[in-house]
Amino acid sequence: MCVICRRRFPKRELTRYICPAGAQGPVQDESQILPGRGYYLCTDEACEIRLSKYKGWQRAPRGK
């Protein structure tokens, strides 16, 4: 599901972003296997623009 528009898509149609420790913002995970909390975004251009304002990536991951 796209975190911006909340529409559902097959996983292969979404772009994954992660927030590595110390990063200032989300980083694209092209291989979709990097560790960390993942956020998925659809290919809609409006969603890509709104990603910069999305603050959900700042939440602390559960667990440790």
Side-chain angles (χ1 to χ4, degrees):
M1 179 169 59
C2 176
V3 296
I4 303 299
C5 66
R6 311 299 274 173
R7 291 184 297 181
R8 295 191 180 274
F9 297 92
K11 186 176 177 180
R12 66 183 177 277
E13 293 180 17
L14 297 169
T15 305
R16 183 174 189 250
Y17 287 85
I18 62 161
C19 298
Q24 296 297 319
V27 176
Q28 187 174 353
D29 178 11
E30 293 179 14
S31 61
Q32 295 194 354
I33 58 170
L34 293 176
R37 185 180 187 116
Y39 301 94
Y40 291 88
L41 194 69
C42 68
T43 57
D44 188 4
E45 194 172 314
C47 290
E48 291 181 24
I49 293 169
R50 289 180 53 199
L51 180 65
S52 63
K53 297 178 183 178
Y54 178 67
K55 300 296 182 190
W57 63 268
Q58 294 175 342
R59 290 186 209 137
R62 292 186 183 123
K64 295 184 179 182

